[in-house]
Amino acid sequence: MNIVFSVFQQTMFFTIPLLIVALGGMFSERSGIINIALEGIMIMGAFVSILFINRTQGVLSGQTQLILAVVIAAIAGMLFSLFHAFASINMKADQTISGTALNLFAPAFAIFVARILQGVQQIQFTNTFRIESVPVLGNIPIIGDLFFKNTYITTYIGILILILSTIVLYKTKFGLRLRACGEHPQAADSVGINVYKMQYAGVLISGAFAGIGGLVFVIPTSTNFNATVAGYGFLALAVLIFGQWHPVRILFASFFFGLMKTIAASYSGIPVLASLGVPSYIYKMVPYVTTLVVLVFTSKNSQAPRAEGIPYDKGAR
């Protein structure tokens, strides 16, 4: 059972950042803007927040420092996503090119600034954020071992984001208007909805979630940041498509891909897999091969709310 608990905990470390970032991409695409800049926004959010942790060690520590870092990551992600929003919405630029530009800029900027500030590109930090056992809840049989031991507060933040995203998207006027702007912007405009504002809101929410996702990815898996999130932004796009732009389906898709990443990273600690004698590079290929297979079988039956990614032109009614 200890192996099962360990694998599940590791899976959650990979699942939560995928979930948060994919939900961010969902808000952007639901508004009618394709955001493939998730990778770059993750890098920028992780860079600014990890730099904050590095500079405040000794002054702040524990959960307070991590929560502040989450807020800073969200702000950094929102500010960086404004470039994509302005280019796509105001300038009517190609959304794929705009997103690619941000993806190329973010790691270069992170490395450049890190070297200026400290001479090396790796930003070190001390991980003081792991929760060995949540009081009371950690003592619950099975559930306590799965969800409330060897965990991080970011796991619960991710679950909260999922719940709030579902409520906002399907139970509020804002969510209805956001979906209307993505599915038929001319109709939304005809009833007085400001399409541009709703699209900006979608992209900014996407940026906030992607920034948080960058931090959430780095914290449990490393003690330094090296201007990369290992392609998680692109993997989140695959999760978004596999989850068909629906929050609950995105959760299951995130868990599936998180499990594949866990197998790739921790196969040597799973006796059944370790005894097979399969070369290590095969296991490391699993998440990416799975991504290709899943996309092949799901993309034909999956349609984005506004898949064309054509900028809304108010004068084209």
Side-chain angles (χ1 to χ4, degrees), residues 114-149:
R115 287 181 174 176
I116 288 178
L117 293 177
Q118 55 185 28
V120 294
Q121 68 186 48
Q122 293 89 356
I123 303 175
Q124 304 289 334
F125 68 94
T126 302
N127 190 337
T128 60
F129 313 119
R130 188 170 68 89
I131 303 172
E132 291 189 10
S133 179
V134 177
V136 181
L137 297 176
N139 298 325
I140 301 174
I142 302 179
I143 294 177
D145 289 310
L146 289 174
F147 294 101
F148 301 110
K149 287 185 177 179

Side-chain angles (χ1 to χ4, degrees), residues 59-117:
V59 179
L60 297 171
S61 64
Q63 306 311 316
T64 301
Q65 186 183 35
L66 182 56
I67 291 172
L68 289 175
V70 167
V71 173
I72 289 171
I75 294 172
M78 291 176 69
L79 293 176
F80 194 56
S81 68
L82 276 174
F83 292 107
H84 182 58
F86 180 76
S88 301
I89 299 170
N90 295 93
M91 304 300 292
K92 304 294 186 295
D94 186 290
Q95 295 166 20
T96 302
I97 294 175
S98 172
T100 301
L102 294 186
N103 287 335
L104 294 173
F105 175 80
F109 176 82
I111 292 172
F112 177 73
V113 174
R115 287 181 174 176
I116 288 178
L117 293 177

Side-chain angles (χ1 to χ4, degrees), residues 6 15 38 56 117 134 190 205 242 263 276 288 306:
S6 177
T15 296
L38 296 175
T56 57
L117 293 177
V134 177
S190 69
I205 293 171
F242 188 29
I263 292 173
L276 295 177
Y288 308 102
R306 189 164 173 255

Side-chain angles (χ1 to χ4, degrees), residues 199-220:
Q199 289 181 334
Y200 260 97
V203 176
L204 287 176
I205 293 171
S206 175
F209 286 3
I212 294 172
L215 173 66
V216 172
F217 170 74
V218 174
I219 289 295

Side-chain angles (χ1 to χ4, degrees), residues 178-200:
L178 187 79
R179 287 183 285 127
C181 290
E183 293 170 11
H184 204 305
Q186 283 78 16
D189 181 47
S190 69
V191 295
I193 298 173
N194 190 319
V195 177
Y196 289 157
K197 285 185 178 180
M198 296 306 297
Q199 289 181 334
Y200 260 97

